[in-house]
Amino acid sequence: MTTASIIINILFVLCLTAPVVTRTVGLLNPDEKPGKKFLIPLVFGLSQGVMAVAGFYLGKLLCHLFIPEMAPYLVFAMMLVVAIKMMIDAIRVLKGKMLYTVRNEWDFILLSVLAGFNALLMSLTGPFFVTVMPLDFWFFPAVAVAGFLWAFLTARITYNPGVMRKMSFIEFSASVFMAVIAVLYLTSFFCA
């Protein structure tokens, strides 16, 4: 792998896990115990990683249903689906329609699993990647670490509408970058 492709793959993982940003704002109070300040990002990171692994193995179970020549188009389509879903989610957050209330531990776990849905969708196509998965085996730990870092950085931010506009801009920007990577992926397949 070249340095440029490694950087693009890392940015891809960061963009893929960007929905954590809008889901973790305001989850921690400034006076929370230090253990909880680490536990919430850890759960979000682990859920991202577990969802990515689950998607990959589910994709392996389903890969016999597809024609190998269609693999690049399947990967491209899934990248676009994830990018468009993120774009719609960012717009909904901007309008104040996708805000979450966490009342107990089960709400928190459900929220972390929902934040990992994009990782599940994208890793479904892992077995179909024509060359290799982004970052090879390190894709799964990278997704978990990126989810942890996003949650670690944003869970301490106090919720207010202005902050949510900024957070939705981060998710929207990530969705645009995902769409660009999808187009680059498809064009690199045809140029190879």
Side-chain angles (χ1 to χ4, degrees):
M1 283 182 119
T2 65
T3 303
S5 66
I6 291 172
I7 291 170
I8 289 173
N9 286 329
I10 290 170
L11 288 174
F12 173 75
V13 168
L14 287 172
C15 290
L16 182 64
T17 56
V20 170
V21 170
T22 56
R23 284 147 181 93
T24 57
V25 170
L27 282 181
L28 283 173
N29 296 326
D31 57 339
E32 292 284 351
K33 296 177 184 174
K36 193 169 183 181
K37 289 181 180 180
F38 185 75
L39 181 65
I40 287 177
L42 183 66
V43 169
F44 270 90
L46 287 176
S47 69
Q48 292 284 320
V50 167
M51 293 292 273
V53 170
F56 180 77
Y57 284 108
L58 184 61
K60 274 188 166 266
L61 286 174
L62 301 175
C63 71
H64 69 280
L65 300 174
F66 297 96
I67 302 167
E69 291 79 24
M70 298 301 292
Y73 303 107
L74 179 65
V75 173
F76 172 74
M78 194 56 79
M79 284 178 161
L80 279 183
V81 165
V82 169
I84 291 168
K85 180 187 170 305
M86 287 173 58
M87 200 173 288
I88 291 169
D89 287 352
I91 291 169
R92 290 182 69 202
V93 167
L94 184 63
K95 292 181 177 182
K97 294 183 180 177
M98 216 170 123
L99 304 176
Y100 303 97
T101 303
V102 178
R103 293 178 295 268
N104 55 38
E105 290 81 19
W106 292 110
D107 288 348
F108 167 68
I109 291 170
L110 179 63
L111 183 61
S112 67
V113 169
L114 288 174
F117 194 66
N118 287 347
L120 175 92
L121 286 177
M122 198 58 237
S123 61
L124 269 172
T125 62
F128 304 109
F129 273 98
V130 177
T131 53
V132 292
M133 288 255 319
L135 302 174
D136 297 322
F137 166 77
W138 295 105
F139 173 76
F140 305 112
V143 167
V145 168
F148 172 81
L149 290 175
W150 279 126
F152 187 78
L153 292 172
T154 58
R156 291 170 177 76
I157 298 173
T158 307
Y159 170 81
N160 71 49
V163 165
M164 288 311 288
R165 278 193 289 278
K166 292 174 186 170
M167 298 302 136
S168 67
F169 178 73
I170 291 171
E171 189 172 351
F172 186 83
S173 301
S175 69
V176 170
F177 190 76
M178 289 275 293
V180 169
I181 289 177
V183 171
L184 288 175
Y185 171 79
L186 195 62
T187 55
S188 71
F189 176 75
F190 287 120
C191 294

